[in-house]
Amino acid sequence: MDTALRPAVPPLPVPVRRPAVPLDAAQEFVTRLRASAPSLAAAAGADSAVVREVVPPARHRRSRCRVVLRFAAGGETDLTFLGPVSSAAASPQQAFDLQIRAWLSSELSREGSWLVVDDEAPDGVAVDVTAWSARAHHQLTAPTAVRLP
């Protein structure tokens, strides 16, 4: 074959390997919550979910997750969830996505003491999953009165 008719192709770039540096705890927190969008949609009975915003917790601020649920009929629900103030590497924070999933699978009402005023939420209200899970845990573990006949 005549090489004069072949176009000159530049050599392929050498792949750059990223250093094997572990993600910091805050970035890992954000990545995990963004990756949980399909399970959040399933918990809410929605067709899909988009995690629009994730703010990892810190000593001076609460963790935050904004989720937009999209339903088959074309409707959308935009929810903001707040978690505790702590370190992103703390053990309770590993469950923030699980707390959100639990709230979505059991509660979509707009009433309850766990709804708090939040200027950064699209509708001005956020779900305090820490307060909700504490209340749910208290209801499960609280002794119940037994009525005897």
Side-chain angles (χ1 to χ4, degrees):
M1 181 172 194
D2 190 3
T3 57
L5 299 176
R6 273 198 275 167
V9 178
L12 292 174
V14 176
V16 177
R17 301 229 184 250
R18 289 186 158 179
V21 176
L23 292 175
D24 70 341
Q27 187 58 45
E28 190 174 319
F29 177 83
V30 170
T31 302
R32 189 182 68 253
L33 275 172
R34 290 202 183 276
S36 70
S39 65
L40 297 178
D47 283 352
S48 66
V50 175
V51 177
R52 287 231 170 117
E53 175 190 18
V54 178
V55 177
R59 287 181 295 146
H60 64 283
R61 78 166 176 258
R62 300 183 75 181
S63 52
R64 168 184 296 277
C65 180
R66 183 172 164 214
V67 179
V68 178
L69 302 168
R70 294 188 176 131
F71 296 92
E76 286 188 353
T77 301
D78 196 333
L79 299 166
T80 300
F81 296 93
L82 299 175
V85 175
S86 66
S87 163
S91 176
Q93 283 306 307
Q94 299 298 327
F96 189 46
D97 52 334
L98 299 176
Q99 291 174 327
I100 294 170
R101 194 175 317 138
W103 188 87
L104 289 170
S105 64
S106 65
E107 195 71 48
L108 277 175
S109 72
R110 286 301 198 168
E111 296 177 8
S113 60
W114 50 86
L115 298 177
V116 295
V117 176
D118 185 344
D119 295 335
E120 295 181 38
D123 59 354
V125 177
V127 177
D128 184 346
V129 292
T130 307
W132 175 80
S133 26
R135 181 178 173 144
H137 179 71
H138 176 70
Q139 287 175 343
L140 290 174
T141 60
T144 56
V146 177
R147 277 184 105 160
L148 298 174

